[in-house]
Short mmCIF file of all heavy atoms in Angstrom, two decimals:
data_model
loop_
_atom_site.label_atom_id
_atom_site.label_comp_id
_atom_site.label_asym_id
_atom_site.label_seq_id
_atom_site.Cartn_x
_atom_site.Cartn_y
_atom_site.Cartn_z
N THR A 19 88.42 72.84 73.78
CA THR A 19 89.43 72.61 74.75
C THR A 19 90.22 73.73 74.98
O THR A 19 90.17 74.77 74.19
CB THR A 19 90.29 71.44 74.23
OG1 THR A 19 91.19 70.99 75.20
CG2 THR A 19 90.96 71.64 72.95
N GLY A 22 90.82 78.11 73.82
CA GLY A 22 89.50 78.49 73.22
C GLY A 22 88.32 78.20 74.02
O GLY A 22 87.36 79.05 74.04
N ALA A 26 85.65 81.02 75.28
CA ALA A 26 84.24 80.81 75.05
C ALA A 26 83.48 81.03 76.44
O ALA A 26 82.41 81.75 76.40
CB ALA A 26 84.03 79.45 74.38
N VAL A 37 79.17 80.84 69.36
CA VAL A 37 79.22 79.82 68.28
C VAL A 37 80.63 79.14 68.39
O VAL A 37 81.52 79.93 68.17
CB VAL A 37 78.93 80.41 66.92
CG1 VAL A 37 78.97 79.45 65.82
CG2 VAL A 37 77.58 81.14 66.88
N VAL A 39 83.37 76.79 66.54
CA VAL A 39 83.78 76.26 65.20
C VAL A 39 84.91 75.38 65.40
O VAL A 39 85.99 75.76 65.90
CB VAL A 39 84.09 77.36 64.27
CG1 VAL A 39 84.35 76.78 62.91
CG2 VAL A 39 82.89 78.40 64.16
N PRO A 70 85.96 75.61 54.23
CA PRO A 70 84.70 75.81 54.99
C PRO A 70 84.37 77.27 55.35
O PRO A 70 83.19 77.47 55.91
CB PRO A 70 84.89 74.96 56.19
CG PRO A 70 86.31 74.84 56.46
CD PRO A 70 86.99 75.01 55.07
N ILE A 79 75.32 83.04 60.70
CA ILE A 79 74.31 84.11 60.52
C ILE A 79 72.85 83.48 60.52
O ILE A 79 71.93 83.94 61.17
CB ILE A 79 74.45 84.86 59.20
CG1 ILE A 79 75.84 85.51 59.23
CG2 ILE A 79 73.40 85.93 59.00
CD1 ILE A 79 76.11 86.61 60.35
N LEU A 88 84.72 87.84 66.56
CA LEU A 88 85.39 86.57 66.05
C LEU A 88 86.64 86.37 66.87
O LEU A 88 87.47 87.28 66.86
CB LEU A 88 85.69 86.75 64.60
CG LEU A 88 86.57 85.71 63.96
CD1 LEU A 88 86.02 84.29 64.02
CD2 LEU A 88 87.07 86.05 62.55
N MET A 112 101.08 76.57 58.72
CA MET A 112 100.80 77.83 58.11
C MET A 112 99.36 77.93 57.65
O MET A 112 98.73 78.97 57.80
CB MET A 112 101.75 78.12 56.95
CG MET A 112 103.12 78.25 57.32
SD MET A 112 103.56 79.68 58.41
CE MET A 112 103.69 80.94 57.22
N ALA A 126 84.37 87.38 57.97
CA ALA A 126 83.63 87.98 59.09
C ALA A 126 83.52 89.50 58.81
O ALA A 126 82.50 90.11 59.14
CB ALA A 126 84.35 87.79 60.38
N ALA A 127 84.55 90.13 58.39
CA ALA A 127 84.62 91.60 58.19
C ALA A 127 83.57 91.98 57.14
O ALA A 127 82.90 93.02 57.24
CB ALA A 127 85.95 92.10 57.79
N LYS A 137 84.33 93.08 66.62
CA LYS A 137 85.72 92.86 67.26
C LYS A 137 86.32 91.60 66.69
O LYS A 137 85.62 90.61 66.70
CB LYS A 137 85.58 92.78 68.73
CG LYS A 137 84.89 93.91 69.45
CD LYS A 137 85.84 95.03 69.68
CE LYS A 137 85.24 96.11 70.53
NZ LYS A 137 86.07 97.19 70.87
N SER A 143 101.21 84.50 70.07
CA SER A 143 102.04 83.69 70.95
C SER A 143 103.15 84.48 71.36
O SER A 143 103.52 85.51 70.79
CB SER A 143 102.42 82.48 70.04
OG SER A 143 103.54 81.83 70.73
N GLN A 148 109.31 86.24 69.77
CA GLN A 148 110.56 85.62 70.08
C GLN A 148 110.77 84.47 68.92
O GLN A 148 109.82 84.12 68.29
CB GLN A 148 110.63 85.03 71.41
CG GLN A 148 110.52 86.03 72.55
CD GLN A 148 110.58 85.37 73.89
OE1 GLN A 148 109.86 84.45 74.13
NE2 GLN A 148 111.26 85.93 74.74
N GLY A 187 101.21 83.26 77.11
CA GLY A 187 102.55 82.74 77.45
C GLY A 187 102.42 81.22 77.44
O GLY A 187 101.80 80.62 76.61
N THR A 194 101.04 72.14 74.77
CA THR A 194 102.28 72.23 75.43
C THR A 194 102.55 71.00 76.19
O THR A 194 103.47 71.00 77.10
CB THR A 194 102.23 73.41 76.44
OG1 THR A 194 101.03 73.30 77.17
CG2 THR A 194 102.32 74.77 75.65
N ASN A 204 110.46 71.76 81.27
CA ASN A 204 109.45 72.19 82.26
C ASN A 204 110.03 73.07 83.31
O ASN A 204 109.54 74.17 83.63
CB ASN A 204 108.72 70.92 82.87
CG ASN A 204 107.53 71.42 83.66
OD1 ASN A 204 106.69 72.25 83.28
ND2 ASN A 204 107.37 70.81 84.82
N TRP A 216 102.49 77.79 85.23
CA TRP A 216 101.91 77.77 83.92
C TRP A 216 100.52 78.52 83.99
O TRP A 216 99.92 78.52 85.04
CB TRP A 216 101.64 76.24 83.52
CG TRP A 216 102.95 75.55 83.09
CD1 TRP A 216 103.90 75.01 83.96
CD2 TRP A 216 103.36 75.26 81.79
NE1 TRP A 216 104.89 74.53 83.19
CE2 TRP A 216 104.68 74.56 81.93
CE3 TRP A 216 102.84 75.44 80.56
CZ2 TRP A 216 105.32 74.09 80.80
CZ3 TRP A 216 103.56 75.17 79.36
CH2 TRP A 216 104.80 74.39 79.61
N GLY A 224 89.80 87.37 81.00
CA GLY A 224 89.59 88.81 81.26
C GLY A 224 90.09 89.71 80.01
O GLY A 224 89.52 90.63 79.63
N ALA A 225 91.28 89.25 79.45
CA ALA A 225 91.84 89.96 78.23
C ALA A 225 90.91 89.80 77.09
O ALA A 225 90.72 90.74 76.36
CB ALA A 225 93.28 89.34 77.89
N VAL A 227 87.62 89.32 77.16
CA VAL A 227 86.36 90.15 77.41
C VAL A 227 86.69 91.62 77.21
O VAL A 227 85.91 92.37 76.47
CB VAL A 227 85.83 89.94 78.85
CG1 VAL A 227 84.74 90.93 79.17
CG2 VAL A 227 85.26 88.47 78.92
N ASP A 245 101.15 86.48 79.94
CA ASP A 245 102.24 85.49 79.97
C ASP A 245 102.84 85.44 81.37
O ASP A 245 103.96 84.85 81.47
CB ASP A 245 103.24 85.94 79.06
CG ASP A 245 103.95 87.19 79.37
OD1 ASP A 245 103.51 88.00 80.28
OD2 ASP A 245 104.88 87.69 78.62
#
Side-chain angles (χ1 to χ4, degrees):
T19 182
V37 178
V39 182
I79 301 300
L88 167 65
M112 292 298 277
K137 304 277 186 176
S143 165
Q148 301 179 312
T194 51
N204 187 43
W216 286 77
V227 169
D245 65 351

